Every structure is written in structure tokens, then in C-alpha cells.
């Protein structure tokens, strides 16, 4: 077998029926086929057949095996399902962070709505002193935020978003929309929702500077056009917005023309743009829901 070449191996395909094969049918060249089989030998033929079936089997399971290795079911307390807990491994990092692993049954019956005896989660977290924000992401990214904080990525000019160009962390205020947004139907294998409970005074009054575009259509359109355009925003424009720690306002409707952008009615997003604001949200991470893939 050692003296066989790839050309000999490739000839084996001539006797293997394949969909879409358009060469001369084997029945029209029986003598040539018999001579070739005698030259190859039955041992080599069996070897190639065995290797072919082994390769087919490995191909059929490789994607599933890779996904399983890449993403475990839940990153913390995998045996704790549909009930809130405080991961002991995070106490040195976050203190008592509320975490829940939700399987498909728990998601159906909204097991997360009661947190440590307090009902109506997460809306029960919001009051005159606190605002609640949500960020939908993957298991891997959520774990990274928990253990390494929010990272505002810089320098990727191709990442065009509503209020940022390669640097921004986006949050919403609608929990159900974050949980069931359009991206979720095509979500990666793992998904999670981070819940931030931010002191209102720290976000609105304590030196954090925000730009509110809700109700200011002209300014919203100007900023959308700059960040969404194919060409990079002007330096003057970027310097102007650099003094803001966050920008908030409605979402831009996908598929629209940039000539006259229209905000999605009733939508809301907040884009964290500075390290000070990111630190505030890091300190305000209250709960994390890990959803079953």
C-alpha cells in the first residue's frame, strides 16, 4: 500500500457512484475497470473504502463536536437550573452577583420573574433612585464582561453603528425586547442577558455627561448619518462628541436610506462611549441570565 499515489486513489472515485457525476458510465468501460481493479488489488481497495467511510463519519460529527467544545451549556453552576444563585467563584470579583441558568422549560414559564422571593423581576429593580438597562450577548461575552469588565473596542472603522464607530457598548431599557429581539431567532449557540441597575444620580448628575437625542430629530439624523456613512466621520465631528460619556436615543431602522433616516417608533438605546461611564456600568451589574442554547 505504501507505493500507492494520489492519482491511483483518485481513480477510485471512477467506480463510486456520485450525484452529479457526468463522466462516461462505468458500464461502458467494463474491461478497463476490471484491469484497473486487478492492478490496484483488493487490499488497497478495502483500505480506501474504509478510509472513505471513516472520513465521512468524522465530517458528519465535526461541527457538532466543535460547537460542544467551544461552548459549554452554562459557565457557572451548571447543575443549578431555573433558580437564582450567587456563584461563589465570583465573590472576589463581583461580590454577590445574581445569576440564573434558564433551560427551554424555564424560559417558557419565565422562571426568572421571581428573584430571591421578590416578584416582577426585572421591573421591580427600577424606582426613583435606580434606572435599569439590559444588554443581550453570548455566554462567552457575558462571562468576559463579568470577569474582565466592559471593554470599549477602538479603531475598527468598519464597525458602523448608530452612535459609534468601532467604540461603544449598547444597552436598552426593554427587557422583553432584549430577550426576544430579532437577532435572537438567529442568535449564536449561546446567549445571555446582562441586567444593570444604575444609580440615577450617578448617571444623570455626578459628572457623567450624556447626549440625549430623544425628541431631537435633526441632531439624531446628523449623528446617524455621520456614523452610518461608508466614509469615516470627520475629525471635527468625533472631537465634538468626545466630550460625551454616553449618547442615548431611538434606533435607526435597518434598510432605510441615509438621506432621510427615520427613528424606530418607541425604540431606545444607550451607547456607552467613555471609560468613566463603562466603569459606572461595571459597578452596576446586578444580574445575568444565561439562556439554554
Amino acid at each position: 500500500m505504501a507505493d500507492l499515489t494520489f492519482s491511483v486513489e483518485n481513480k477510485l472515485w471512477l467506480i463510486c457512484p456520485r450525484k452529479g457525476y457526468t463522466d462516461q458510465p462505468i458500464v461502458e468501460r467494463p474491461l478497463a475497470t476490471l484491469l484497473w481493479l486487478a492492478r490496484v488489488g483488493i487490499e488497497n481497495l478495502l483500505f480506501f473504502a474504509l478510509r472513505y467511510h471513516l472520513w465521512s463519519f468524522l465530517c458528519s460529527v465535526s461541527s457538532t463536536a466543535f460547537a460542544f467544545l467551544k461552548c459549554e451549556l452554562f459557565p457557572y453552576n451548571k447543575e443549578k437550573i431555573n433558580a437564582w444563585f450567587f456563584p461563589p467563584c465570583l465573590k472576589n470579583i463581583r461580590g454577590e452577583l445574581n445569576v440564573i441558568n434558564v433551560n427551554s422549560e424555564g424560559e417558557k414559564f419565565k422562571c426568572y420573574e421571581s428573584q430571591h422571593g421578590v416578584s416582577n423581576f426585572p421591573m421591580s429593580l427600577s424606582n426613583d433612585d435606580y434606572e435599569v438597562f439590559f444588554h443581550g450577548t453570548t455566554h462567552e461575552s457575558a462571562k468576559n464582561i463579568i470577569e474582565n469588565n466592559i471593554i470599549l473596542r477602538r479603531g475598527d472603522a468598519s464597525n458602523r453603528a448608530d452612535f459609534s464607530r468601532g467604540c461603544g457598548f449598547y444597552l436598552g431599557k426593554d427587557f422583553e425586547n432584549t430577550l426576544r429581539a430579532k437577532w435572537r431567532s438567529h442568535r449564536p449557540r449561546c446567549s445571555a442577558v446582562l441586567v444593570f441597575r444604575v444609580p440615577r444620580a450617578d448617571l444623570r448628575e455626578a459628572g457623567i455627561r450624556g447626549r440625549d437625542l430623544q425628541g431631537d430629530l435633526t441632531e439624531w439624523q446628523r449623528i446617524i448619518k455621520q456614523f452610518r456613512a461608508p466614509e469615516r466621520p470627520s475629525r471635527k465631528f468625533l472631537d465634538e462628541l468626545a466630550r460625551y460619556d454616553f449618547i442615548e436615543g431611538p434606533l435607526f431602522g435597518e434598510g432605510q436610506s441615509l438621506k432621510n433616516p427615520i427613528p424606530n417608533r418607541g425604540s431606545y438605546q444607550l451607547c456607552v462611549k467613555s471609560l468613566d461611564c463603562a466603569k459606572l456600568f461595571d459597578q452596576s451589574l446586578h444580574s445575568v441570565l444565561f439562556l439554554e442554547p
Side-chain angles (χ1 to χ4, degrees):
M1 276 193 308
D3 59 346
L4 289 175
T5 65
F6 283 110
S7 62
V8 174
E9 181 180 354
N10 289 338
K11 288 180 181 178
L12 182 63
W13 290 103
L14 298 177
I15 63 169
C16 295
R18 286 182 293 159
K19 183 178 180 180
Y21 180 67
T22 58
D23 202 356
Q24 183 183 15
I26 188 173
V27 294
E28 295 182 12
R29 54 182 195 283
L31 180 59
T33 301
L34 289 174
L35 291 174
W36 181 82
L37 286 174
R39 188 166 62 251
V40 171
I42 189 63
E43 290 183 3
N44 290 331
L45 188 63
L46 291 174
F47 166 75
F48 285 128
L50 178 62
R51 196 170 80 170
Y52 168 75
H53 288 294
L54 178 60
W55 176 255
S56 298
F57 172 76
L58 291 175
C59 287
S60 67
V61 302
S62 61
S63 59
T64 302
F66 178 76
F68 177 79
L69 292 173
K70 183 176 176 62
C71 179
E72 296 180 338
L73 187 57
F74 298 115
Y76 306 111
N77 289 27
K78 301 174 183 60
E79 72 288 348
K80 190 84 170 179
I81 306 297
N82 298 335
W84 291 98
F85 61 90
F86 303 113
C89 59
L90 298 179
K91 284 194 175 182
N92 293 333
I93 303 173
R94 290 282 181 182
E96 291 191 336
L97 177 67
N98 301 274
V99 175
I100 188 170
N101 298 323
V102 183
N103 63 16
S104 56
E105 191 72 9
E107 188 175 354
K108 178 180 178 181
F109 293 101
K110 299 184 177 181
C111 64
Y112 46 79
E113 287 191 333
S114 179
Q115 185 183 72
H116 305 309
V118 179
S119 59
N120 196 31
F121 175 88
M123 302 319 299
S124 58
L125 301 177
S126 179
N127 55 39
D128 292 340
D129 297 323
Y130 291 92
E131 290 186 60
V132 180
F133 297 87
F134 310 103
H135 177 79
T137 186
T138 64
H139 281 195
E140 183 180 6
S141 294
K143 186 174 185 289
N144 188 54
I145 292 171
I146 291 170
E147 299 177 6
N148 301 300
N149 297 325
I150 296 169
I151 298 176
L152 301 177
R153 303 195 181 279
R154 300 180 182 274
D156 184 3
S158 65
N159 186 14
R160 294 180 286 164
D162 288 0
F163 304 148
S164 64
R165 191 66 170 259
C167 175
F169 182 78
Y170 285 81
L171 305 108
K173 282 191 172 182
D174 189 322
F175 175 71
E176 288 296 327
N177 184 60
T178 304
L179 193 65
R180 310 185 188 285
K182 182 179 179 180
W183 69 269
R184 189 167 175 272
S185 62
H186 307 287
R187 68 189 181 192
R189 183 171 175 79
C190 302
S191 58
V193 176
L194 289 84
V195 183
F196 297 86
R197 193 177 190 231
V198 185
R200 194 180 299 271
D202 291 346
L203 182 64
R204 305 293 179 182
E205 304 169 11
I208 297 293
R209 298 159 296 179
R211 183 70 174 93
D212 186 0
L213 301 177
Q214 300 174 98
D216 191 342
L217 179 61
T218 301
E219 183 65 4
W220 179 86
Q221 289 178 327
R222 183 178 77 93
I223 291 177
I224 289 289
K225 289 178 181 180
Q226 284 279 346
F227 281 125
R228 284 283 188 173
E231 56 275 4
R232 188 176 179 86
S234 68
R235 173 52 56 187
K236 180 180 178 181
F237 172 80
L238 293 175
D239 289 343
E240 172 195 341
L241 292 187
R243 65 177 182 266
Y244 297 117
D245 297 292
F246 69 87
I247 300 176
E248 59 185 333
L251 281 74
F252 170 66
E254 295 295 338
Q256 293 189 46
S257 170
L258 278 176
K259 292 182 178 180
N260 185 36
I262 304 297
N264 281 354
R265 180 177 299 179
S267 64
Y268 172 87
Q269 61 184 333
L270 183 147
C271 176
V272 176
K273 298 185 67 67
S274 75
L275 296 178
D276 287 340
C277 192
K279 183 177 180 180
L280 172 61
F281 275 88
D282 283 327
Q283 295 170 344
S284 304
L285 182 58
H286 182 277
S287 304
V288 181
L289 294 84
F290 290 101
L291 305 174
E292 181 182 35

